[in-house]
Amino acid sequence: MHPSRSSYNNDLSNIQEKVIRGHRLDFEDGIRLFESPDILLIGKLANIVRERINKNKVYYVINRHINYSNICKNKCKFCAFRREDGEDGAYQMSINEILEKASQIIQEKATELHIVGGLHPELGIDFYVDMISSIHKRFPEVHLQAFTAVEISHFAEISGTTTYDILKKLKEAGLGSLPGGGAEVFSTAIRKELCPEKLSGEEWLNTMRIAHRLGLRSNATMLYGHIENNEDRINHLLKLRELQDETGGFLSFIPLAFHPENTDLENIFNTAGILDLKMLAIGRLMLDNFDHIKAFWIMLGIKISQISLSFGVDDIDGTVAEEKITHSAGAETPEALTVDNIVSLIEETGREPVERDTLYNHTNLQMKN
Ligand code: V47
């Protein structure tokens, strides 16, 4: 037994009972799951919930990521992507360059653009509104999933207005939904250490609350495998679950595996496969009001992503086509997969591949809308 293991009871039988009966798990259950070495039982329980909600289906989307700029005024320790304005490697795409990149989706038959970038110290809100309206006008049928809660809160700050007004303006310009980035870990102590300039956990949640009230759905993430502990992880999941009870606006939960290369935390090892599977499975078990748990194959690798389909995961994200954030931090996965690649990686697991759009329109949604 690990010497630092806490006094939490490691017998999972009453958790098993709760899962089978469809009862909600609490904080202590979550900690016990993390501390349990019984990865197969945890996976089996997560699989029960996964199949209850999503049967044998595995969703994927044909999408493209556009990281419009890496210039960022924040200095998050886990980030290898950011640059100072004027620093070697710093870039800022013009609207025309963004449109050019977006036009590639036509050949790829993509239905979604995932657009995020750094917090530029000087650009004004008009640039971001123009970006969304120009893409939307040119490709009205494509869903624009753009700007994390961190960017939205920055836009409100630079334009001296409210988060509500910014989101309303962007929605009118063609914004379809928000990606789940920037959540990191909600713990104040961890944020102080990792990303002190970034909005607080409460502010991230409140930005999502406002988006959901405006009818903008979003994803939720958690960055794990750095300096957080099991309590931080479970508290994060419980905050997401609480907001989901209130709004029903989250589409999926995506745990993001920390990649240390070229960051200020280079002394930390890459996440172990066991932790990756536990994060996904425990996410599935704790977030009983989320329809979808996504394995972002770019960060997890194709092998763990395949196995995760039996550990609570029902969504494998998409073709992606160009990913910069994790690849700046040493990811060894390809930057894109073809639809054929995705379909065969799903079929190899005995599951049924289902192409979805951003809002899972091909599915029978069980969530309130
Ligand atoms: O917010 C930054 C994380 C996020 C590193 O909503 C890192 O569908 C690992 O949120 N190692 C951006 N992670 C990406 C993101 C995302 C990705 C895929 C799908 C969706 C979705 C959202 O990436 C950041 C931060 O939490 N990140 N640096 C790193 N070194």
Side-chain angles (χ1 to χ4, degrees):
M1 191 178 260
H2 194 280
S4 67
R5 183 153 292 157
S6 80
S7 55
Y8 282 103
N9 172 3
N10 257 329
D11 173 13
L12 301 185
S13 52
N14 75 328
I15 296 182
Q16 177 160 8
E17 191 67 23
K18 282 189 182 178
V19 171
I20 288 165
R21 289 174 185 272
H23 292 171
R24 185 161 264 198
L25 302 186
D26 61 21
F27 176 83
E28 199 194 53
D29 297 328
I31 297 292
R32 275 166 55 201
L33 286 164
F34 266 118
E35 294 192 345
S36 167
D38 199 345
I39 185 69
L40 290 182
L41 179 56
I42 296 168
K44 185 176 153 194
L45 297 179
N47 195 49
I48 291 173
V49 179
R50 178 240 192 273
E51 290 187 352
R52 198 181 279 154
I53 302 174
N54 291 298
K55 317 236 162 13
N56 201 31
K57 295 180 168 50
V58 178
Y59 297 98
Y60 68 93
V61 61
I62 308 182
N63 63 351
R64 164 168 278 274
H65 282 218
I66 298 181
N67 299 126
Y68 58 84
S69 175
N70 61 355
I71 298 168
C72 189
K73 70 184 177 78
N74 284 356
K75 298 186 176 71
C76 303
K77 286 193 180 152
F78 54 78
C79 184
F81 175 64
R82 81 165 289 274
R83 293 287 181 279
E84 289 289 326
D85 198 3
E87 187 185 341
D88 232 20
Y91 72 90
Q92 168 70 48
M93 291 165 72
S94 66
I95 304 269
N96 276 341
E97 286 168 326
I98 295 169
L99 282 171
E100 173 57 35
K101 188 77 66 196
S103 70
Q104 295 165 5
I105 58 175
I106 298 299
Q107 290 104 288
E108 293 153 4
K109 297 191 174 61
T111 61
E112 170 189 282
L113 278 172
H114 177 116
I115 306 168
V116 295
L119 310 186
H120 197 286
E122 269 131 43
L123 275 177
I125 182 65
D126 291 349
F127 173 79
Y128 304 101
V129 177
D130 274 1
M131 183 198 305
I132 295 300
S133 65
S134 322
I135 308 175
H136 183 61
K137 274 188 201 130
R138 180 104 163 253
F139 308 106
E141 69 292 347
V142 172
H143 184 105
L144 304 183
Q145 182 167 77
F147 308 133
T148 64
V150 184
E151 288 156 281
I152 298 294
S153 161
H154 169 72
F155 301 161
E157 196 182 306
I158 56 172
S159 44
T161 181
T162 61
T163 300
Y164 176 88
D165 285 342
I166 292 292
L167 284 166
K168 197 159 167 285
K169 209 170 186 173
L170 288 167
K171 189 179 178 205
E172 281 161 10
L175 180 68
S177 63
L178 266 55
E184 322 314 354
V185 174
F186 294 140
S187 149
T188 309
I190 300 287
R191 285 182 107 76
K192 199 168 162 200
E193 185 57 38
L194 279 189
C195 46
E197 301 108 332
K198 193 166 249 171
L199 83 179
S200 68
E202 283 309 317
E203 285 164 335
W204 187 96
L205 288 159
N206 203 37
T207 303
M208 290 308 189
R209 176 179 288 113
I210 296 166
H212 295 173
R213 283 192 187 146
L214 267 164
L216 288 163
R217 307 291 295 268
S218 77
N219 292 326
T221 60
M222 176 175 126
L223 181 68
Y224 68 94
H226 42 87
I227 57 169
E228 85 290 359
N229 62 28
N230 292 339
E231 279 79 5
D232 299 322
R233 292 171 185 156
I234 296 299
N235 279 325
H236 186 98
L237 295 176
L238 293 181
K239 294 254 186 210
L240 291 177
R241 188 170 80 184
E242 203 175 290
L243 183 56
Q244 182 73 332
D245 273 345
E246 187 187 317
T247 67
F250 287 119
L251 292 160
S252 72
F253 172 63
I254 312 139
L256 302 174
F258 175 56
H259 283 58
E261 218 175 289
N262 306 318
T263 73
D264 289 348
L265 302 170
E266 247 180 348
N267 57 326
I268 293 177
F269 287 117
N270 281 81
T271 58
I274 291 290
L275 177 60
D276 294 333
L277 291 174
K278 271 192 173 177
M279 248 342 297
L280 292 158
I282 297 170
R284 178 61 287 168
L285 290 167
M286 298 303 295
L287 298 175
D288 55 5
N289 52 4
F290 276 60
D291 276 357
H292 304 286
I293 304 292
K294 195 194 276 189
F296 187 43
W297 61 265
I298 291 264
M299 292 199 189
L300 294 171
I302 290 163
K303 293 180 182 181
I304 288 285
S305 299
Q306 268 187 321
I307 297 169
S308 77
L309 302 182
S310 301
F311 280 73
V313 169
D314 63 281
D315 188 319
I316 200 108
D317 197 79
T319 43
V320 179
E322 204 172 85
E323 196 279 341
K324 293 189 186 306
I325 298 173
T326 329
H327 282 84
S328 314
E332 287 172 2
T333 45
E335 275 195 69
L337 284 180
T338 63
V339 173
D340 284 352
N341 293 152
I342 292 185
V343 165
S344 57
L345 88 77
I346 296 169
E347 282 177 347
E348 276 167 12
T349 68
R351 301 271 189 201
E352 178 200 345
V354 177
E355 189 195 332
R356 64 164 173 89
D357 67 8
T358 311
L359 303 175
Y360 294 84
N361 276 328
H362 301 287
T363 76
N364 293 321
L365 279 185
Q366 59 150 13
M367 290 174 54
K368 38 188 159 148
N369 204 336

